[in-house]
C-alpha cells in the first residue's frame, strides 16, 4: 500500500503541515500537536515558573493561542523547540503579571489599612481619585483603552500588543501616546465631564 493510500491514522503528518492546518482552524491538527508536545511544553513551563500552581493554565493558554501564531512557524521538521520557546515567554509574562497582581494587592491592603484609620479626609480623597481615574478610563475610545490596558496594565511591549490586536506597532504607540495624554489631562483637570 502506498503512503497516500494509508489511513490518516497510520500516516505521520509533519509538524509544519500540522501547523499549517492549525492556522486554518483545523482542531484535529491542534489535538495532534497537543498530543505530541504537551508534556515537553508542560515541563518547560514548570521549570520556568518555579510555582506548579499555574503551569496548566499557561500550557493551555499557549495551545489555545496556537491557531493565531501558527502562521509564523518557520517550517523546521520539529516544532518542539518553537512551542517550548513560546510557552516559556508566556510563562515569563504570566510571572510578571502575577507579580503586578501581588503588588496591587499589597497596595490595596495598604489602602484598606489606611481607611481603617477612619480619616474622613483620606477616605474622600482616595475615593475621589479612583472615581476620576474610572471616568477617565471610560472616556477613552475603545481602541485607546485596549492599547493602554495591554501595555500599561498588562505589561506587554508595543510589538506584543500589536500582534494581540492585529494592528501595526506604530499604531499601538500612537494610541498609547494619546491615551496617556488624555488620562493625564483628565487627572490634572480633576475629572472627566
Amino acid at each position: 500500500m502506498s503512503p497516500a493510500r494509508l489511513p490518516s491514522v497510520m500516516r505521520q503528518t509533519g509538524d509544519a503541515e500540522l501547523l499549517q492546518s492549525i492556522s486554518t482552524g483545523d482542531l484535529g491538527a491542534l489535538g495532534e500537536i497537543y498530543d505530541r508536545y504537551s508534556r515537553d511544553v508542560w515541563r518547560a513551563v514548570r521549570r520556568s515558573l518555579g510555582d506548579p500552581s499555574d503551569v496548566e493554565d499557561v500550557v493551555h493558554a499557549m495551545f489555545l493561542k496556537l491557531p493565531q501564531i501558527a502562521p509564523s512557524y518557520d517550517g523546521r521538521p520539529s516544532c518542539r523547540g518553537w512551542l517550548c520557546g513560546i510557552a516559556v515567554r508566556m510563562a515569563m509574562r504570566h510571572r510578571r503579571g502575577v507579580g503586578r497582581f501581588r503588588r496591587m494587592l499589597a497596595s490595596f491592603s495598604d489602602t484598606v489599612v489606611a481607611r481603617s484609620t477612619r480619616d474622613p479626609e483620606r477616605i474622600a480623597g482616595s475615593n475621589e481619585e479612583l472615581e476620576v481615574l474610572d471616568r477617565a478610563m471610560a472616556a477613552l475610545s475603545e481602541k485607546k483603552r485596549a492599547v493602554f490596558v495591554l501595555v500599561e496594565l498588562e505589561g506587554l511591549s508595543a510589538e506584543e500588543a500589536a500582534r494581540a490586536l492585529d494592528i501595526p506597532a506604530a499604531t499601538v504607540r500612537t494610541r498609547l501616546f494619546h491615551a496617556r495624554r488624555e488620562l493625564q489631562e483628565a487627572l490634572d483637570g480633576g475629572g472627566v465631564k
Side-chain angles (χ1 to χ4, degrees):
M1 214 181 236
S2 73
R5 304 188 96 195
L6 287 173
S8 62
V9 173
M10 295 177 71
R11 260 186 284 146
Q12 179 76 4
T13 306
D15 290 356
E17 186 179 333
L18 285 172
L19 284 164
Q20 177 69 29
S21 296
I22 290 169
S23 69
T24 63
D26 184 350
L27 295 179
L30 179 60
E32 179 68 26
I33 288 290
Y34 182 87
D35 289 344
R36 285 184 192 177
Y37 298 112
S38 62
R39 279 178 269 163
D40 296 320
V41 169
W42 187 93
R43 209 172 24 259
V45 170
R46 172 65 177 93
R47 290 174 178 153
S48 296
L49 284 179
D51 179 11
S53 64
D54 294 328
V55 173
E56 293 292 329
D57 291 339
V58 173
V59 170
H60 289 122
M62 194 280 302
F63 280 102
L64 288 173
K65 189 174 176 73
L66 197 53
Q68 295 169 338
I69 56 177
S72 68
Y73 184 61
D74 63 7
R76 286 177 272 179
S78 172
C79 67
R80 180 185 166 280
W82 184 73
L83 291 173
C84 289
I86 292 167
V88 166
R89 285 190 301 276
M90 289 180 78
M92 290 167 41
R93 196 173 313 136
H94 177 80
R95 189 177 30 210
R96 286 191 306 264
V98 168
R100 278 191 302 277
F101 182 70
R102 287 184 179 143
R103 287 190 300 276
M104 182 200 63
L105 283 179
S107 172
F108 179 70
S109 69
D110 291 344
T111 303
V112 169
V113 169
R115 286 184 180 182
S116 69
T117 63
R118 300 288 185 218
D119 179 2
E121 213 171 297
R122 182 179 284 164
I123 293 169
S126 294
N127 288 341
E128 187 176 309
E129 289 170 3
L130 289 174
E131 288 174 15
V132 169
L133 182 59
D134 283 344
R135 286 194 309 270
M137 287 289 291
L140 290 175
S141 71
E142 184 177 313
K143 292 176 179 181
K144 290 177 192 169
R145 188 174 37 241
V147 167
F148 185 83
V149 166
L150 288 176
V151 175
E152 292 295 332
L153 302 180
E154 295 301 321
L156 272 63
S157 68
E159 289 73 22
E160 291 170 326
R163 282 192 299 274
L165 297 171
D166 199 24
I167 58 175
T171 302
V172 168
R173 288 188 279 278
T174 301
R175 289 179 185 171
L176 182 61
F177 170 81
H178 290 290
R180 286 175 178 157
R181 191 190 71 215
E182 289 175 28
L183 287 171
Q184 189 61 53
E185 288 172 0
L187 294 174
D188 290 344
V192 177
K193 289 161 178 92

